[in-house]
Structure formats: structure tokens, C-alpha cells
Amino acid sequence: LALQPGFAAALNNRAAVLLRLGRADDAIASYRLALEAAPRHAGIWANLGAALHEARRHEEAFAAFMQAREHGDSSAVTLM
């Protein structure tokens, strides 16, 4: 990330680690940065939805899962 701050895959991976560490708010911020770099990436939208769900932000989570579905992840809404 130091060399490429907007590298979506690295931001997505960092967010996944943060979420596993129980740092949902930091993970959400990292997923949002990843989406700035790759706004049509269904997997990142689904991951953001999972992080929002973990943070009990259910309406936002549902919206993120819907974005994932819109961008090609047909399983995203069934995760709720």
C-alpha cells in the first residue's frame, strides 16, 4: 500500500485482516477505500456488506449486498 495506496486488492485484504481482528469500523473504512479504486468489484461490495453486518449496521449491509449483486455476485443477498 505504501507504493500503491489505491491498490484495491491490497485494501480488500487489509480490510479482511482488520475484520478478523475485531476492528469492524477500520475494516469498513478500508473496504470503502478499495471501492473507490474498484467501484464495480462485486467481491469487495460483498465483503463490505459482511463487515457492516458484523458492525450491526444492517441497512447499510443490505445496500452493500445489493450493490454486490448488481455487479455480478448473485449469492451476496443470500448471505444475510
Side-chain angles (χ1 to χ4, degrees):
L1 286 170
L3 296 175
Q4 291 183 328
F7 186 40
L11 290 163
N12 185 55
N13 290 339
R14 179 178 71 179
V17 170
L18 290 167
L19 189 59
R20 288 188 66 114
L21 292 172
R23 295 173 51 190
D25 290 335
D26 293 330
I28 291 165
S30 190
Y31 284 130
R32 291 194 190 281
L33 287 173
L35 286 167
E36 286 180 18
R40 300 173 64 96
H41 193 293
I44 299 171
W45 278 109
N47 292 341
L48 173 62
L52 288 163
H53 181 73
E54 177 125 343
R56 301 191 186 285
R57 293 162 58 177
H58 301 295
E59 289 182 26
E60 291 175 85
F62 184 75
F65 286 131
M66 294 303 290
Q67 284 292 319
R69 185 174 183 189
E70 183 176 312
H71 294 298
D73 187 347
S74 61
S75 68
V77 175
T78 62
L79 296 174
M80 295 282 297

